[in-house]
Amino acid sequence: MEATRISLALQGGGAHGAFTWGVLDHLLEQPDLAIAGISGTSAGALNGCILAQGLISGAAQAREDLAHFWRRISEVGAAAFNPYQSTPYHSMARAWNLDWAPASLWLDVMAQFVSPYQLNPLDHNPLRELLASLLDFERLRAAPAVPLFVCATNLQTNQLRLFGNAELSVDALLASACLPQLHRAVRVEDSYYWDGGFMGNPVLKPLIRECLANDLVIVQLNPIERQELPISARDIMDRLNEITMNAALMRELDTIDTITRLIERGSLNDPHYRAVYCHSIADPVVMGTLGLTSKSNTAWPFLTYLRDSGRLAAERWLQANRTALGQRSTMDLSQFRI
């Protein structure tokens, strides 16, 4: 039986990207699924690039590469004395949020008055060395297994920039993951970039336009809905971050919903448009309990907790929705209608 082709849209979210690792790890175990394209932002772009390189050699290699990448992320965080990294005590108690830890509060205050240009004048970023050691960009450009799209925000023009396979580089990935409060803007060619989540988290259009798959699977890290009212300054900032990073995605989903409904009603017969079925793999219970600073928590117990949560979320989603692939959306797109 021919495998069902799916496109993957991978959200950013710092260390929360380990949840995406778990989702991908489970999907790669499914012989009846084939990945037709990947769009990623920030941590989603890093996961996507590691995945795309591994797929050149096959699903098993992709799983191995993702596991190695996240192990190295944890090691780099420990070597850099990451102040947001949970201690063994926190890990045993599964107290992943360090929002009120003295180091976290001190860094928050510093970020209001001191820019990364002052705090890090040499622009040292350990992620640069890690990506350079793990990724073979020439191979990704020459023999791509799947189309890959990485999103960054041009801070000078307020425009979205998509880097395709042929344009991939360490700088392109760092640009997609550049939080302006923590890192200096990343220069690519003659422009400067910040995190792609401001413009698309992730961008869906290239998956629809250039990938031969009718099913689009979004791995969501940022909760769209929260019932509780944010009261504290930290909770307000956390929710503001989620709303900002979800805004462009919600607009694209509204457009996809509109076009698909027109096609299904017979009101749109243009061959340039086709019905797209949208799906979401998420765990709002798990992710909804995690605070903003946990996105910087690279402790290995936390990353493996997220990995296991992602694997379970993917397993549950497939059990409930596998037969819907190619037939209908399992994501309620009506919530995004304007």
Side-chain angles (χ1 to χ4, degrees):
M1 185 176 68
E2 184 177 355
T4 300
R5 299 172 66 85
I6 61 172
S7 292
L8 295 174
L10 311 179
Q11 278 200 324
H16 292 184
F19 178 90
T20 302
W21 164 31
V23 171
L24 298 177
D25 191 61
H26 187 72
L27 294 180
L28 288 167
E29 292 179 329
Q30 312 307 310
D32 60 337
L33 296 180
I35 298 172
I38 307 165
S39 177
T41 294
S42 194
L46 305 185
N47 272 319
C49 207
I50 296 291
L51 171 63
Q53 177 172 280
L55 284 174
I56 296 174
S57 300
Q61 184 64 54
R63 293 183 64 207
E64 182 179 328
D65 288 355
L66 284 164
H68 180 63
F69 169 70
W70 283 100
R71 170 58 84 174
R72 293 287 294 118
I73 285 288
S74 180
E75 292 170 352
V76 168
F81 302 102
N82 180 3
Y84 297 108
Q85 187 158 289
S86 53
T87 66
Y89 169 79
H90 292 115
S91 298
M92 286 190 293
R94 289 197 169 184
W96 309 121
N97 293 320
L98 302 179
D99 290 356
W100 303 108
S104 298
L105 295 173
W106 180 81
L107 288 172
D108 281 351
V109 172
M110 289 292 292
Q112 304 302 315
F113 301 99
V114 185
S115 84
Y117 292 83
Q118 297 166 303
L119 283 175
N120 187 10
L122 299 179
D123 197 23
H124 175 66
N125 187 342
L127 189 58
R128 177 180 294 277
E129 289 77 18
L130 177 60
L131 294 175
S133 69
L134 296 180
L135 291 166
D136 185 344
F137 292 100
E138 290 187 6
R139 188 179 183 212
L140 276 165
R141 299 184 196 110
V146 295
L148 174 63
F149 307 95
V150 170
C151 173
T153 301
N154 187 316
L155 70 90
Q156 296 163 295
T157 65
N158 196 38
Q159 291 182 325
L160 177 151
R161 168 73 186 270
L162 280 177
F163 298 93
N165 294 69
E167 303 164 299
L168 291 174
S169 66
V170 169
D171 285 333
L173 292 176
L174 292 179
S176 182
C178 178
L179 290 173
Q181 301 91 339
L182 301 178
H183 302 289
R184 297 170 61 167
V186 178
R187 181 175 179 174
V188 182
E189 298 162 357
D190 294 325
S191 298
Y192 290 88
Y193 295 92
W194 281 341
D195 194 291
F198 297 119
M199 299 299 293
N201 192 23
V203 180
L204 307 182
K205 185 176 179 180
L207 296 176
I208 299 169
R209 184 179 56 208
E210 301 186 34
C211 300
L212 299 177
N214 290 327
D215 291 284
L216 195 160
V217 179
I218 305 168
V219 182
Q220 286 188 267
L221 303 182
N222 296 312
I224 290 178
E225 295 185 7
R226 284 190 183 270
Q227 297 304 314
E228 67 278 10
L229 181 67
I231 300 296
S232 70
R234 179 63 66 105
D235 288 343
I236 290 171
M237 288 302 299
D238 193 4
R239 187 55 180 157
L240 179 61
N241 176 270
E242 290 173 347
I243 290 173
T244 301
M245 295 297 183
N246 280 326
L249 174 65
M250 293 175 67
R251 287 193 295 271
E252 280 201 278
L253 287 170
D254 174 56
T255 301
I256 292 171
D257 178 47
T258 299
I259 293 174
T260 298
R261 285 187 293 124
L262 288 173
I263 292 173
E264 291 176 342
R265 289 204 304 256
S267 302
L268 180 61
N269 297 309
D270 190 323
H272 294 94
Y273 296 94
R274 59 188 171 87
V276 175
Y277 305 116
C278 295
H279 316 276
S280 170
I281 300 179
D283 191 331
V285 174
V286 168
M287 306 311 288
T289 63
L290 301 178
L292 188 61
T293 58
S294 68
K295 293 181 177 181
S296 299
N297 185 354
T298 56
W300 185 241
F302 179 54
L303 299 182
T304 53
Y305 164 75
L306 289 175
R307 176 204 62 195
D308 295 343
S309 299
R311 280 188 57 86
L312 183 58
E315 180 182 1
R316 289 172 174 168
W317 181 83
L318 280 172
Q319 288 176 348
N321 301 297
R322 190 185 292 267
T323 58
L325 291 173
Q327 304 297 320
R328 59 180 174 84
S329 291
T330 59
M331 194 176 187
D332 180 15
L333 298 182
S334 64
Q335 63 183 308
F336 307 117
R337 293 173 188 168
I338 298 175

